[in-house]
Structures are given as structure tokens and as C-alpha cells.
Amino acid sequence: MSTHKPLRAGLIGLGSMGRNHARVLHGLEGVELVAVADPVADPGSAPAGVPLVRSVAELAAAGIDYAVVACPTALHEEVALDLAGRGIHALIEKPLAPSVRSAETIGRAWSRRPTPSRWPRPCSRRPRTGPRSAWPPVGP
């Protein structure tokens, strides 16, 4: 058993990818899914025992260490800038943004913060093999 405090995760969005992230986060050892934010989700759609809040501000107030952003892509810029401004770590689901301009805005916001941010890169479904040092970098 670990003596470390669990990471307090928040999830933004309960669409199909959000529900998958909720399932994974809820089952990860060393991670506590603290709350889920979705302004239009049915209250019963959050995992059992996990509060559903309606905004990033409410999610931040729950004391999260990081957030997984799985809301519609059109909202990624607004949500990412809000999280960066609050100093909350983020993993942003792909695609990062609906446009190059929006992606550059997100990148600039995170480059000014000491808080790390990551977003998945498109990749094949084959598992990665070989030494970790040979894997492509992730994030900005």
C-alpha cells in the first residue's frame, strides 16, 4: 500500500470519451476522482459517489490536482485557458483544438505557466515497444 496521498482528479465532460475517462480514473490506484464537471449532463451519469458540478470554477473549488478535459473540442480553448489561469494541471483529449489558431493560443497560455499540460497524440493502436527513451514526446 502506498503512503502517498492520492492525486485528486477532476473530469470535464461526460460524453462518450468523458465516460471512458471517468471509468479509468475511478479505477486507477493512487487517483481519486473528486468531481466531474458538465453543464448539461444528467445527474445520474457521473460515477457512483462522484459529485457532478456544472462549471470549471466548481471543479476547481473541489481542490483538484489535475483535470482531464474531455468536453467537446469547440470548448477546449475556453476550458484550457481557465485551467491554465488557475494553475491546474491538465490532460487535454485530442484533438487539442478546433483550429491551429486556437491550439496556438492554448500552447502560449501553458508556455507561460510552470504547470505542465499534456494532450494525447494520434497514434496507432499497437502497444509501444522498445526503450521509453525512443518513444515520441507528448505535449508541447
Side-chain angles (χ1 to χ4, degrees):
M1 186 169 146
S2 175
T3 58
H4 298 287
K5 287 177 30 181
L7 286 172
R8 296 175 51 83
L11 173 63
I12 301 166
L14 272 175
S16 61
M17 284 309 299
R19 288 189 305 273
N20 185 54
H21 281 289
R23 179 186 56 78
V24 170
L25 289 167
H26 200 58
L28 277 177
E29 183 179 339
V31 174
E32 176 187 359
L33 181 54
V34 176
V36 177
D38 192 313
V40 297
D42 181 284
S45 61
V50 178
L52 176 65
V53 299
R54 299 298 178 183
S55 69
V56 173
E58 289 177 273
L59 190 64
I64 61 172
D65 296 316
Y66 74 101
V68 175
V69 178
C71 58
T73 304
L75 301 173
H76 283 189
E77 180 180 355
E78 174 186 345
V79 170
L81 296 179
D82 192 348
L83 292 169
R86 295 173 188 276
I88 296 173
H89 304 272
L91 181 141
I92 303 170
E93 184 56 68
K94 63 182 186 257
L96 174 62
S99 69
V100 171
R101 183 177 185 179
S102 180
E104 289 172 343
T105 300
I106 292 169
R108 279 191 303 275
W110 285 105
S111 70
R112 293 189 296 265
R113 304 288 312 167
T115 304
S117 175
R118 296 288 182 253
W119 44 88
R121 287 188 177 184
C123 59
S124 72
R125 295 184 182 269
R126 290 177 285 139
R128 292 182 176 179
T129 58
R132 189 182 251 311
S133 61
W135 294 2
V138 177

